[in-house]
């Protein structure tokens, strides 16, 4: 767990306002893959509960885990579930769930032993799901203008693939790791298309919840946002597709 992973609490209210929720189509995808009732679920890095609501409102008894107290406090305003303030690596062994999932949070977990820990939290045959995706400006000219405005402050504002998988690869991370894990089988990758049109100020509000900007000194961060805002038209279209990875815990392994 890095400092960057713990940077979101300072903007918990903005995170709740500017990060979108998840569509019912995503739950249907996970539930259909499971092929059996999802009664108990564990969420890794729940944040303000964007994905928590999706599963809890559809009958899953969710335990939402999150290391940041401010993010958990914001989550509790919006959904009534069991919460645990802890990083994934700090979760005690013992309890097992039908579903373990992470919404735009898995890349913050420690790679060593990751899949054995996930498997240890799942019933045999239980489902693991990871999903999320960046906000990408659909207009190439607008994207270039934003990149130019951002350049004095940041070379890039995304989080690179943790295992170095290039964007053009057919299977993306964490599917690449799941395919190699002896703990999981039936690895699938799905894309759910999403497009949003938002104001320039709301787009910058979303940028204010991205860790790359949160690492900048406050004064520098505000300068970056001012330049980016000036580079934007009044309204922008973004590609916010969700990339979902699903896998099943092998029933024959102990752990």
């Amino acid at each position: 767990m890095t400092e960057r992973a713990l940077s979101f609490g300072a903007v918990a209210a903005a995170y709740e306002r500017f990060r979108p929720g998840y569509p019912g189509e995503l739950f249907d995808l996970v539930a259909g893959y499971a092929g059996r009732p999802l009664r108990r679920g564990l969420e890794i890095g729940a944040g303000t509960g964007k994905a928590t609501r999706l599963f809890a409102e559809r009958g899953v008894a969710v335990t939402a885990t999150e290391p940041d107290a401010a993010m958990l406090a914001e989550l509790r305003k919006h959904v009534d579930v069991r919460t645990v303030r802890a990083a994934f690596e700090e979760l005690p062994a013992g309890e097992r769930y039908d579903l373990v999932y992470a919404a735009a949070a898995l890349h913050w977990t420690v790679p060593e032993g990751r899949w054995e820990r996930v498997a240890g939290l799942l019933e045999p045959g239980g489902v693991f799901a990871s999903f999320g995706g960046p906000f990408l400006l659909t207009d190439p000219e607008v994207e270039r203008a934003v990149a130019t405005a951002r350049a004095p402050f940041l070379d890039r504002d995304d989080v690179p693939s943790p295992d170095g998988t290039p964007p053009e690869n057919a299977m993306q991370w964490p599917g690449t790791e799941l395919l190699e894990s002896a703990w999981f089988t039936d690895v699938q990758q799905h894309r759910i298309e999403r497009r949003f049109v938002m104001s320039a100020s709301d787009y910058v509000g979303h940028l204010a919840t991205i860790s790359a900007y949160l690492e900048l000194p406050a004064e520098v961060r505000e300068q970056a946002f001012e330049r980016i805002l000036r580079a934007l038209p009044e309204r922008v279209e973004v590609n916010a597709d969700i990339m979902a990875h699903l896998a099943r815990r092998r029933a024959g392994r102990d752990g």
Side-chain angles (χ1 to χ4, degrees):
M1 180 66 61
T2 65
E3 286 189 23
R4 185 169 177 174
L6 296 171
S7 63
F8 300 101
V11 293
Y15 197 103
E16 173 59 29
R17 177 181 173 184
F18 293 112
R19 293 281 183 119
Y22 290 94
E25 184 180 353
L26 175 61
F27 177 84
D28 294 341
L29 174 68
V30 176
Y33 173 87
R36 65 186 193 185
L38 296 172
R39 298 185 175 88
R40 300 177 69 242
L42 178 83
E43 182 172 4
I44 299 167
T48 65
K50 294 292 184 175
T52 318
R53 278 162 270 194
L54 175 71
F55 289 91
E57 290 170 0
R58 287 160 176 78
V60 181
V62 175
T63 296
T65 71
E66 165 61 45
D68 191 291
M71 297 290 271
L72 269 184
E74 187 68 33
L75 179 151
R76 292 178 184 128
K77 296 177 185 178
H78 305 284
V79 60
D80 182 18
V81 297
R82 177 191 177 197
T83 58
V84 177
R85 184 185 174 189
F88 170 59
E89 296 76 20
E90 299 168 339
L91 296 176
E95 284 194 81
R96 290 197 173 182
Y97 301 83
D98 306 303
L99 170 70
V100 172
Y101 68 95
L106 189 69
H107 54 283
W108 299 124
T109 62
V110 175
E112 292 76 16
R114 176 190 285 134
W115 300 116
E116 184 174 358
R117 283 192 295 270
V118 171
L121 293 164
L122 281 168
E123 298 285 354
V127 171
F128 171 73
S130 176
F131 45 86
F135 265 39
L136 302 174
L137 292 162
T138 60
D139 187 323
E141 291 187 8
V142 175
E143 172 56 37
R144 283 193 292 270
V146 169
T148 300
R150 184 185 66 231
F153 312 98
L154 288 171
D155 291 334
R156 57 191 298 171
D157 60 9
D158 62 340
V159 178
S161 174
D163 68 351
T165 300
E168 63 273 15
N169 204 60
M171 176 62 75
Q172 289 291 298
W173 185 89
T176 47
E177 289 186 4
L178 286 163
L179 285 171
E180 296 180 357
S181 172
W183 291 95
F184 290 92
T185 187
D186 192 19
V187 178
Q188 296 185 14
Q189 176 176 282
H190 299 267
R191 182 185 295 274
I192 297 174
E193 292 189 0
R194 290 193 304 180
R195 298 292 186 275
F196 296 116
V197 176
M198 61 178 62
S199 68
S201 60
D202 279 359
Y203 177 75
V204 173
H206 180 269
L207 293 184
T209 71
I210 292 176
S211 60
Y213 294 98
L214 294 173
E215 288 195 308
L216 295 173
E219 183 177 342
V220 175
R221 184 165 62 243
E222 290 308 313
Q223 291 175 9
F225 291 154
E226 287 173 9
R227 289 201 186 187
I228 292 170
L229 188 60
R230 288 199 298 268
L232 291 168
E234 289 186 7
R235 299 189 70 77
V236 297
E237 182 184 55
V238 296
N239 172 333
D241 288 358
I242 300 167
M243 185 71 80
H245 290 92
L246 305 170
R248 202 178 310 276
R249 187 194 191 279
R250 290 187 184 274
R253 285 192 66 96
D254 297 326

